[in-house]
Amino acid sequence: MLIRSVDSASAPLPAPPGPRLPRTVQTAIFTWWRHVWAARLRQKYGDVVALKVYPWGRVVLVNDAEHIAAMFASPSERFRSGSGNRILAPVFGEHGLLTSDGEEHRRLRRLMTPMFGKTAVRGYQDAVRELTERDVETWPVGSPFASLERIRKLSLDIIWRVIFGPDHDVRSVELRGLLERLPVMDVAVLMGLNSARARRVGPWRRASNLLARIDALLYDAIEERGSAPDLGQRTDILSQLVGAGGKAEGLSPVEVRDQAVTLLFAGHEPTATALAWTLHELARNPTVAEHAARAALSGDSAYLEALVKEAMRRRTGIFESIWTLTEDIDLGDFRVRKGATLMPMLGVVHMDPAHYRQPEAFRPERFLHDDIPPHAFIPFGGGARRCIGAHLSVMQSAEVLRVLLSRRSVTTDRPKPEAAVSKSVTIAPARGARIILRPLPRTGH
């Protein structure tokens, strides 16, 4: 067994190895360069590596797909992801899908899973197409630009429509503007918001004030939506969340608020980053770009989805997931003590040659023809904590590509790949995925 409970009869095992650098140094390296450091640590120390990182303290990196699969399959009370994600609580709240555990998480999951199933997601496809068609017409043609910022805006437009519906009023305009100003995905801001002292100064004070106004507007919107005469007929997520308040396992206004904020931020930034990396790769792989253009024009959704999945593998945006250990365990050849934070390193698994032929190559067709074990492709996590919005993310990404690539070709003025940087929760292109769009050549009849 890869993971075993520890009892009085268990033979003693050593703690996982790791660097002896000071905690402050380890924290700095992990915060800004974890996507590079993790692979080097695996080469030096193996599949299980111990660190000391603020704000978690004892951190154990798990780099092996089989170990991670065993974690995902373990009893939910052994690894508590909500506790591991407490760094997000000042923004996402105490009762969101990412920050809750145990029965609370299971209840939220039961209520919300139908809202993000394949059938429900297909109902949003026309809105995604409409918003994308309108937005890409404003993108520069013939001159280089950073695609990540454009895609972030479009992705926020899409998740906003999914959550709030097509309504526009003064409150929603103000709320949208505040959300765009809140630097919630900045790791330094998130860490500072967990400190009462930091929240009184500088960017953390500004973020706290923004959050207070956002919450006031959200609670007003929740109250107003609850009294809407057509609440039962509305398909937007906020209406469904508010409507769930009348059921036996219903949601309180605080819980509705926490789900809405979680979905807004977790639902657009990782998808935007994945799409930006996809365009980055298309601009530097002309053969793949030609195949993608044909797929967009012919309606080949399978290839477009494979394209997105390969970008998520090759350029994993959410590089790790975070779990708090609730009991002593033996993990492989090592003993890990209760209270440690275990981090399955998703990005390391995605580059493992044990599961991927030529892992450095950008080959979307591997997701159409290769036999990839399910536990080796985990951009959305796994087990009971797998991202509830996975179907929406893939559908949205494929639909955006279908619209864009049926109108424009993608190139770049700088063929050299951009470095990956960790300035936020996601690992993003250093120059914002700089590309050049050009009109498609006219075809004669």
Side-chain angles (χ1 to χ4, degrees), residues 81-82 85 88 92-101 104-113 116 241 255 258-260 262-263 384-389:
S81 182
N85 285 322
L88 303 173
F92 288 26
E94 301 282 345
H95 306 285
L97 270 177
L98 289 177
T99 52
S100 59
D101 278 310
E104 181 182 31
H105 179 266
R106 287 188 286 272
R107 179 176 66 91
L108 293 171
R109 190 93 185 185
R110 283 194 299 270
L111 282 168
M112 296 178 65
T113 294
F116 292 92
L241 291 172
E255 289 174 319
D258 289 356
Q259 309 325 311
T262 298
L263 293 170
R385 306 301 297 225
R386 188 174 187 269
C387 175
I388 199 170

Side-chain angles (χ1 to χ4, degrees), residues 403-417:
V403 171
L404 178 62
L405 298 178
S406 64
R407 289 161 170 76
R408 303 282 187 265
S409 63
V410 182
T411 61
T412 182
D413 61 331
R414 301 190 179 196
K416 183 179 179 181

Side-chain angles (χ1 to χ4, degrees), residues 315-379:
R315 302 286 192 168
T316 307
I318 301 295
F319 204 83
E320 72 287 328
S321 58
I322 305 172
W323 305 66
T324 298
L325 184 59
T326 63
E327 62 178 79
D328 292 353
I329 62 166
D330 289 339
L331 178 61
D333 297 326
F334 303 102
R335 180 153 298 170
V336 184
R337 295 297 182 182
K338 173 182 178 180
T341 297
L342 273 71
M343 294 190 181
M345 303 306 286
L346 316 180
V348 172
V349 170
H350 289 164
M351 295 298 290
D352 194 333
H355 303 295
Y356 295 98
R357 293 186 296 112
Q358 298 177 300
E360 292 289 341
F362 187 76
R363 297 177 52 247
E365 60 271 17
R366 74 172 81 241
F367 283 95
L368 299 174
H369 308 304
D370 292 6
D371 185 17
I372 299 172
H375 64 279
F377 181 64
I378 44 178

